[in-house]
Amino acid sequence: MEKKGFEEKEEEETRTSLFHHLVTRRKNLGDDAKIILQRLIMISRLPHDLADRTDLGAHYENLNFQLNKQHIWDHITGLLLIYPSYLLHIIESSRDILTSVLRDVKVMQQQPHRTLLEVKIVFLDHNPQRRLFQQWSYKVLGADQVIRDPAVKVLEDEDVSIETLVCSVLSTLQNLSKKLEQSKAPPGSVLDETPQLIVHQKILERLLGREELLSLQQYLDMYKSTLNISIEFGQLNPRNLFSAV
């Protein structure tokens, strides 16, 4: 009995020592090892002849799996909404992860049969105070789930500002995040029960036509630039939109 207890204690100390070794090693890596959370919101137009939209979800599931193996400390959360004609992707992770996802988009666009057509960066939040999602998931939306919201009629005004359109997306995502915290259900189930929490596709259509938003190539070019340029909208303060819990 004493020998068994000694072996169990030794095994526990080994596991603990390994854990502390990994933590210590990470701390010794210095500032380069510090992960600063970023939130990226990307939209895209999908081809009308896309056969199976679930393939997009499977592609990103596999991409996240591969990225998690390469960046074991970078936790990926977010939501991919696949509309009949559009895509809305919210990604929360490190800058390296976000850039890897966008570079993958560029590769997809260079393929003979492009899955993602026009791509725009709607919003980038550097070091948000909290995550909107606890995990990453995707949802394929049916035509019946893209509801007709009377409030969207206001956004059909040709003079609507880019800030109004972006704030509409951010506020809807904030409401979805609160609902997820309350229900503890997966995002797909919550959206099935409360379709008003789905960002209206008309807003995505309007955003894709706005020149103020960076294209995929513009963002990647800016990322490679030595200049430290923020693409957050000048008068938009994400702290006011995503308050801390």
Side-chain angles (χ1 to χ4, degrees):
M1 293 293 292
E2 293 181 357
K3 182 178 180 181
K4 181 179 180 181
F6 175 79
E7 291 176 346
E8 291 177 348
K9 182 178 180 180
E10 185 179 23
E11 182 180 356
E12 181 179 354
E13 290 178 349
T14 301
R15 291 197 302 267
T16 304
S17 298
L18 178 59
F19 172 76
H20 285 299
H21 169 72
L22 291 173
V23 172
T24 302
R25 180 186 175 188
R26 176 167 173 74
K27 289 181 178 179
N28 291 337
L29 290 176
D31 292 338
D32 291 340
K34 295 178 181 178
I35 298 174
I36 298 177
L37 178 66
Q38 293 191 354
R39 178 184 299 117
L40 176 73
I41 302 177
M42 177 191 79
I43 58 176
S44 177
R45 192 186 310 276
L46 301 178
H48 295 294
D49 58 349
L50 187 61
D52 189 355
R53 288 178 291 146
T54 58
D55 288 344
L56 266 175
H59 171 82
Y60 279 106
E61 275 191 334
N62 180 65
L63 176 62
N64 289 349
F65 176 74
Q66 298 300 326
L67 290 175
N68 275 324
K69 290 198 303 182
Q70 299 172 22
H71 307 271
I72 60 175
W73 299 103
D74 299 10
H75 183 43
I76 303 174
T77 59
L79 179 65
L80 174 66
L81 294 181
I82 308 173
Y83 295 71
S85 301
Y86 301 96
L87 176 145
L88 171 63
H89 199 175
I90 305 98
I91 317 162
E92 301 171 320
S93 191
S94 68
R95 185 181 68 168
D96 288 343
I97 293 288
L98 268 53
T99 305
S100 295
V101 171
L102 292 178
R103 285 173 176 162
D104 178 76
V105 172
K106 185 175 181 180
V107 171
M108 293 173 66
Q109 288 190 307
Q110 293 173 342
Q111 295 175 350
H113 301 286
R114 293 193 299 166
T115 305
L116 302 181
L117 302 178
E118 184 181 3
V119 178
K120 293 279 188 174
I121 307 301
V122 174
F123 197 75
L124 174 63
D125 192 358
H126 180 75
N127 198 21
Q129 295 182 358
R130 70 180 185 95
R131 293 176 185 263
L132 289 179
F133 304 94
Q134 298 304 309
Q135 59 184 6
W136 185 92
S137 61
Y138 76 92
K139 172 74 173 174
V140 177
L141 300 172
D144 57 329
Q145 291 180 294
V146 183
I147 63 174
R148 294 181 177 274
D149 188 347
V152 177
K153 293 181 179 179
V154 178
L155 302 177
E156 294 178 354
D157 185 355
E158 292 298 328
D159 296 328
V160 64
S161 68
I162 186 67
E163 288 83 1
T164 299
L165 293 170
V166 173
C167 282
S168 177
V169 174
L170 298 180
S171 61
T172 301
L173 294 177
Q174 172 71 5
N175 292 334
L176 173 58
S177 177
K178 290 180 179 179
K179 186 68 175 180
L180 291 172
E181 292 176 356
Q182 296 169 359
S183 66
K184 305 298 182 182
S189 300
V190 171
L191 292 176
D192 286 339
E193 297 174 358
T194 52
Q196 63 270 23
L197 295 178
I198 299 174
V199 177
H200 200 284
Q201 65 173 354
K202 183 65 176 179
I203 297 176
L204 304 185
E205 180 183 348
R206 292 297 303 275
L207 284 170
L208 280 169
R210 300 301 294 255
E211 295 182 355
E212 298 94 324
L213 297 181
L214 291 180
S215 67
L216 172 64
Q217 189 59 53
Q218 287 173 328
Y219 175 88
L220 292 176
D221 289 344
M222 185 192 69
Y223 173 78
K224 291 183 292 185
S225 173
T226 57
L227 295 178
N228 184 18
I229 303 174
S230 172
I231 64 171
E232 293 175 1
F233 290 98
Q235 302 302 317
L236 280 181
N237 185 351
R239 298 292 179 267
N240 297 332
L241 297 167
F242 300 105
S243 57
V245 177

